Amino acid sequence: MSKKVLKVRKSQTIEGTIKVPGDKSISHRAAMLLGMAPSGLISTVTGFLPSEDCLQTMRAMQSLGASIQRPDSTTLVIEGAGEKFTEPKKVIDCGNSGTSMRLILGILAGQNQMKSKLTGDESLCRRPMNRVVNPLTLMGAKISAEGKNGCAPLEVTGTKLKGIVYNSTVASAQIKSCLLLAGIFAEGKTVVTEPEKSRDHTERIFNYLELPFTADRLKYTISGGHLPKPKDLRVPGDISSAAFWLVAAAARPGSFLRIENVGLNPTRTGILNFLLRMGAKIRENVDEDEYEPSGYIEVQGGGLRGTVIEGADIPNVIDELPILAVAGALASEGVTVIRDAKELRVKETDRIAAMAENLRAIGVEVEDYEDGLAIRAANKIVGARVKSFGDHRIAMAMAIAGLFCEGEMIIEDVDCIQTSYPGFAEDLEKLTGQGR
Ligand code: S3P
């Protein structure tokens, strides 16, 4: 079967106002937490991201007994079943979604005597699960990995978990969130620390849904035995999706872009800080802040210069590093250096290797390190046929590079874009006038 390609050509301006689809991280958490609420009360999620990844989470919660209706593609009407989850009849398929697998594992591990199994696509079955299986095992979980090196498929026999203190050595919101979710079903307190701040969506939704949770800088504590309160929730647009257009507009003089109703959570807005540092003209404004801040971002195109992205800033831009690597190539001067980002090696694909290969293929000078990349500003990039590596963010980053290339950029196998940004091709058309 032939896989879909996306063809992109140079665009003279990036112009317009758009809203990007709902935040992926928040959509996952909304479906999980409200599915875990006690039965009897209904809550509504609006702005849900109707992407493959988030739909896997929705189906998983349905398979545990939560009632979830979807009256339209971005609205979920949920009656939780947290006090009476039932054994899933089928293997839970998480598709391409690491967030679904790692977070749901935390929920399943604490369902006493319930047997369940989690699997995913080829990429997900190669991603490390020991990082969550090991601490869950310390809590008393019974999980056996059928894949090599502790990878999925994962078989779970639910047990009565005990709270532990776990000092994570990786700044990962998925590890933190998995253990805090398990902590809801554990006896006593579960304490998690992380070495640097990762995205705090779990903390915010825990507080909003009135769970007995505290955060003290990098230390998070949940007391077990309480379910989240059912409440309505609005999901803002995903700044990680907005990032592609922000880079395109910032790098193209004469452009003007406005993105409305986008999440402006400070643990996710690193992309704005780095673009500012690279010389971009950006304005942001928070319009609403109930449990997650959201508002608009405006960019006036000017041009960019190289910068250094490293250390404690990395978790805040972890998903934006492929498009920031493209920003480095589109800059008019300097070298953009990305270090301390070895987590990129274990994302949907090895994003360091993938970006190094693709940027070289379009004539950009790149050095790759075990933990990052150095990208020299290229005065010319040449269109080429490049691979997505089955990774949505690599596909979209290369599409943006295509807006600046000589000739034509052909990105292979772009169905993966559906995992986070349904409507990407339509927004490309809207902002650049290019046909699909
Ligand atoms: C996510 C956390 C990040 C991010 C992923 C979504 C989340 O992963 O890369 O796209 O929703 O918790 P890590 O926590 O593994 O860094």
Side-chain angles (χ1 to χ4, degrees):
M1 202 174 70
S2 72
K3 292 189 169 163
K4 218 160 106 192
V5 300
L6 180 66
K7 296 181 181 176
V8 184
R9 290 182 162 275
K10 185 178 276 182
S11 176
Q12 291 314 327
T13 68
I14 286 86
E15 191 79 46
T17 298
I18 58 163
K19 287 188 176 128
V20 287
D23 186 280
K24 182 155 79 72
S25 292
I26 301 174
S27 295
H28 280 299
R29 286 157 174 81
M32 286 179 206
L33 270 293
L34 293 172
M36 283 163 57
S39 55
L41 281 171
I42 306 247
S43 31
T44 303
V45 180
T46 49
F48 182 78
L49 172 64
S51 76
E52 281 312 313
D53 272 22
C54 296
L55 293 173
Q56 306 287 14
T57 288
M58 181 194 82
R59 290 183 204 116
M61 297 313 292
Q62 287 171 323
S63 77
L64 287 171
S67 151
I68 308 182
Q69 320 291 331
R70 201 152 71 104
D72 62 67
S73 69
T74 59
T75 305
L76 302 185
V77 178
I78 306 182
E79 182 184 353
E83 80 287 13
K84 53 166 193 184
F85 276 154
T86 49
E87 195 162 289
K89 292 196 177 67
K90 287 195 286 196
V91 175
I92 296 176
D93 185 359
C94 298
N96 191 241
S97 174
T99 311
S100 306
M101 183 168 282
R102 297 200 177 105
L103 271 59
I104 291 168
L105 186 64
I107 300 171
L108 295 176
Q111 306 306 314
N112 201 16
Q113 308 208 336
M114 180 196 284
K115 283 197 186 296
S116 55
K117 190 167 170 176
L118 288 164
T119 192
D121 68 8
E122 204 199 316
S123 148
L124 186 54
C125 288
R126 270 188 274 116
R127 296 179 67 185
M129 291 298 144
N130 281 337
R131 51 179 56 199
V132 283
V133 171
N134 292 345
L136 286 172
T137 305
L138 294 174
M139 294 174 79
K142 291 202 166 57
I143 302 163
S144 71
E146 286 180 5
K148 275 192 217 143
N149 303 321
C151 289
L154 302 173
E155 232 174 53
V156 188
T157 306
T159 53
K160 277 197 173 146
L161 300 176
K162 282 193 204 64
I164 57 165
V165 177
Y166 187 72
N167 299 312
S168 174
T169 54
V170 188
S172 155
Q174 293 185 358
I175 299 177
K176 169 173 71 178
S177 306
C178 165
L179 300 179
L180 293 174
L181 285 165
I184 291 179
F185 298 99
E187 206 180 284
K189 286 186 174 163
T190 300
V191 181
V192 185
T193 71
E194 59 180 347
E196 279 137 15
K197 187 84 185 161
S198 65
R199 62 189 66 190
D200 68 358
H201 303 300
T202 298
E203 295 91 301
R204 286 174 183 265
I205 204 166
F206 272 28
N207 283 328
Y208 180 63
L209 302 181
E210 300 177 36
L211 283 161
F213 170 77
T214 57
D216 177 11
R217 278 175 299 178
L218 300 176
K219 180 177 169 196
Y220 314 96
T221 306
I222 178 82
S223 299
H226 304 267
L227 292 174
K229 280 242 171 81
K231 280 189 186 177
D232 293 345
L233 241 154
R234 193 185 67 84
V235 181
D238 198 326
I239 192 165
S240 297
S241 297
F244 298 103
W245 312 119
L246 297 176
V247 167
R252 172 66 76 217
S255 295
F256 178 78
L257 169 71
R258 180 176 159 102
I259 301 191
E260 293 178 336
N261 180 36
V262 61
L264 292 171
N265 178 320
T267 62
R268 296 283 300 284
T269 49
I271 177 75
L272 303 181
N273 304 336
F274 280 109
L275 286 175
L276 282 168
R277 230 197 262 178
M278 292 176 85
K281 295 190 204 94
I282 298 188
R283 234 158 57 100
E284 62 173 301
N285 187 62
V286 172
D287 302 326
E288 214 186 298
D289 190 2
E290 194 175 10
Y291 73 108
E292 286 278 357
S294 63
Y296 69 81
I297 303 170
E298 286 177 351
V299 188
Q300 202 129 31
L304 299 171
R305 57 176 177 269
T307 191
V308 178
I309 308 170
E310 62 184 357
D313 287 327
I314 290 293
N316 198 314
V317 285
I318 190 71
D319 290 341
E320 285 66 74
L321 292 172
I323 189 61
L324 278 166
V326 169
L330 300 180
S332 41
E333 55 177 299
V335 177
T336 294
V337 179
I338 299 170
R339 297 306 295 257
D340 306 315
K342 69 173 191 298
E343 276 294 294
L344 287 184
R345 299 253 179 219
V346 291
K347 293 293 177 189
E348 286 81 332
T349 187
D350 176 341
R351 288 181 174 164
I352 293 176
M355 286 311 294
E357 183 177 327
N358 278 352
L359 289 174
R360 282 181 192 131
I362 61 169
V364 180
E365 209 182 306
V366 187
E367 248 191 274
D368 52 308
Y369 313 107
E370 189 45 39
D371 67 345
L373 294 162
I375 307 106
R376 185 172 295 282
N379 38 37
K380 182 171 124 182
I381 63 174
V382 264
R385 199 173 175 101
V386 295
K387 289 188 238 157
S388 72
F389 297 87
D391 183 322
H392 52 136
R393 299 203 199 279
I394 302 293
M396 290 185 278
M398 294 314 295
I400 298 305
L403 296 172
F404 295 80
C405 75
E406 305 297 325
E408 189 175 47
M409 190 79 78
I410 302 175
I411 305 112
E412 292 178 348
D413 186 13
V414 292
D415 285 331
C416 54
I417 292 176
Q418 296 303 319
T419 65
S420 71
Y421 198 157
F424 177 79
E426 288 79 357
D427 284 344
L428 180 76
E429 190 178 11
K430 189 167 173 197
L431 294 173
T432 68
Q434 294 200 29
R436 271 177 261 162

